[in-house]
């Protein structure tokens, strides 16, 4: 186990080419067969989910992100066969740079951090196209489509894509509900789950205990569990039958939900395509109710809102 002790062990990282691999896939390879303790696993997770930052950060800075001490980062690198953090970082940077578009240092003239943010999200989407597990995604779609009911859970900003999935799915006639309040509200929603039901969780670094616990409760009750996360090694992923991994790295130390939201709408497209006639009929019903409740502002022509329930 790699922890805060002084011992390190031989690894395979220094001999791994890694050319053309995503950082997450490369890390899967170099850590294969190397037992990781809880603190080393945190270091690994930071490298997988924040490769831009880690490509240039010091060992101490990575340690802060992982909430461990600097020595743990150094020993993690040594356990993979590197002399220390600089050797591991050099290969991490090489793997990462083969997969990213580097727009150069932003300036006031080219959009500054706004431009960097757009470029980062665009690169994340390109990474998703290459690495996304479409088979697993079809498993999620099938689980939601066949479920008696589906509960979608998330907390904080992770709720951005989660709410989109749940709200649009419900407006298309699917028995999908969303819970982000935690505490007794989440407990009551989970208590009703059983065989034939489905739980879809959204959880990214850093992971909320309540989301991981919800997956565990649902799995124990016999429900099909699905998670959209940023690494296959996350705590929620260990509790799920279907795991979708998406990149969430942003700029200025802000996690981006752009790709996760794109995945939400992709799943919705697949869900509605399985029965388009029923989806259109449900959407018309919801649109009528929204109009009856007078929820829409009049548009510029004075003809009223379009409706749709989205």
């Amino acid at each position: 186990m790699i922890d805060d002790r002084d011992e390190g062990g031989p690894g395979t990282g220094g001999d791994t080419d890694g050319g053309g691999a995503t950082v997450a896939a490369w890390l899967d390879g170099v850590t294969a067969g190397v037992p990781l303790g809880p603190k080393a696993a945190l270091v690994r997770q930071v490298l997988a989910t924040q490769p831009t930052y880690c490509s240039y950060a010091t060992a101490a800075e990575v340690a802060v992100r992982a909430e461990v001490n600097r020595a743990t980062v150094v020993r993690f690198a040594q356990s993979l066969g590197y002399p220390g953090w600089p050797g591991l970082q050099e290969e991490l940077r090489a793997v990462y740079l083969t997969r990213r578009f580097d727009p150069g240092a932003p300036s006031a003239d080219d959009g500054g951090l706004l431009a960097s943010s757009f470029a980062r999200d665009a690169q994340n989407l390109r990474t998703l196209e290459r690495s996304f597990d479409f088979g697993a995604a079809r498993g999620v779609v099938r689980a939601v489509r066949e479920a008696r009911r589906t509960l979608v859970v998330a907390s904080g900003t992770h709720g951005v894509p989660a709410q989109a999935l749940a709200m649009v799915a419900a407006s298309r006639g699917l028995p999908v509900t969303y819970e982000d309040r935690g505490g007794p509200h989440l407990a009551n929603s989970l208590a009703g789950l059983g065989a034939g039901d489905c739980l879809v969780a959204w959880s990214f670094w850093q992971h909320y205990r309540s989301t991981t616990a919800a997956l565990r409760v649902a799995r124990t009750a016999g429900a099909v569990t699905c998670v959209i996360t940023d690494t296959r090694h996350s705590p929620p992923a260990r509790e799920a039958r279907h795991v979708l991994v998406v990149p969430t790295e942003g700029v200025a130390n802000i996690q981006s939900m752009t790709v996760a939201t794109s995945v939400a709408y992709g799943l919705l497209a697949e869900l509605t395509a399985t029965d388009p006639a029923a989806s259109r009929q449900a959407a018309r019903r919801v649109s009528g109710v929204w109009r009856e409740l007078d929820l829409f502002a009049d548009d510029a022509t004075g003809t009223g809102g379009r409706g749709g329930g989205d």
Side-chain angles (χ1 to χ4, degrees):
M1 304 288 278
I2 307 167
D3 51 26
D4 274 352
R5 297 172 297 177
D6 291 333
E7 294 84 8
T12 59
D15 299 327
T16 299
D17 181 6
T22 64
V23 169
W26 171 71
L27 281 169
D28 285 344
V30 298
T31 60
V34 180
L36 303 181
K39 293 181 180 180
L42 289 173
V43 176
R44 187 205 180 284
Q45 187 173 37
V46 169
L47 266 61
T49 59
Q50 303 179 46
T52 300
Y53 180 82
C54 294
S55 291
Y56 298 97
T58 65
E61 290 168 337
V62 172
V64 170
R65 290 286 176 95
E67 298 183 351
V68 299
N69 61 42
R70 179 185 176 279
T72 299
V73 176
V74 175
R75 284 192 289 271
F76 175 78
Q78 292 171 340
S79 75
L80 303 180
Y82 299 94
W85 167 246
L88 174 57
Q89 183 184 52
E90 182 179 358
E91 190 161 347
L92 167 70
R93 185 184 298 124
V95 173
Y96 175 60
L97 289 177
T98 63
R99 284 301 199 179
R100 79 183 288 260
F101 164 70
D102 187 354
S107 68
D109 294 333
D110 64 13
L113 287 177
L114 276 172
S116 294
S117 179
F118 299 156
R120 177 69 263 165
D121 282 340
Q123 175 58 25
N124 284 346
L125 284 166
R126 287 191 290 270
T127 298
L128 184 76
E129 287 183 309
R130 292 190 298 266
S131 63
F132 192 61
D133 189 338
F134 291 97
R138 285 189 287 272
V140 173
V141 170
R142 186 166 54 251
V144 174
R145 171 57 68 181
E146 296 176 353
R148 177 180 58 181
R149 59 175 171 162
T150 295
L151 176 64
V152 179
V153 298
S155 293
T157 56
H158 305 169
V160 172
Q163 186 175 28
L165 176 73
M167 190 170 189
V168 179
S171 76
R172 298 308 186 263
L174 293 167
V176 178
T177 57
Y178 174 57
E179 181 55 69
D180 69 340
R181 293 170 294 178
H185 301 284
L186 178 60
N188 287 341
S189 296
L190 291 171
L193 292 180
D197 295 325
C198 178
L199 179 81
V200 179
W202 300 72
S203 182
F204 311 98
W205 179 265
Q206 292 181 340
H207 303 279
Y208 292 96
R209 294 182 185 274
S210 59
T211 304
T212 302
L215 283 158
R216 184 167 56 251
V217 169
R219 178 174 57 80
T220 302
V224 177
T225 51
C226 312
V227 67
I228 296 85
T229 185
D230 51 3
T231 170
R232 196 168 294 277
H233 300 274
S234 68
R238 294 193 287 269
E239 302 291 347
R241 181 185 303 181
H242 302 289
V243 180
L244 302 183
V245 178
V246 304
T248 60
E249 187 170 18
V251 299
N253 197 23
I254 298 173
Q255 196 172 45
S256 173
M257 292 291 101
T258 299
V259 172
T261 302
S262 180
V263 169
Y265 282 104
L267 294 173
L268 285 164
E270 289 281 350
L271 282 167
T272 56
T274 56
D275 193 345
S279 177
R280 287 193 297 270
Q281 184 178 13
R284 284 194 291 268
R285 289 197 302 268
V286 170
S287 180
V289 173
W290 281 53
R291 287 196 179 93
E292 184 66 25
L293 295 177
D294 197 23
L295 298 179
F296 299 107
D298 290 342
D299 60 26
T301 62
T303 57
R306 290 179 299 168
D310 295 354

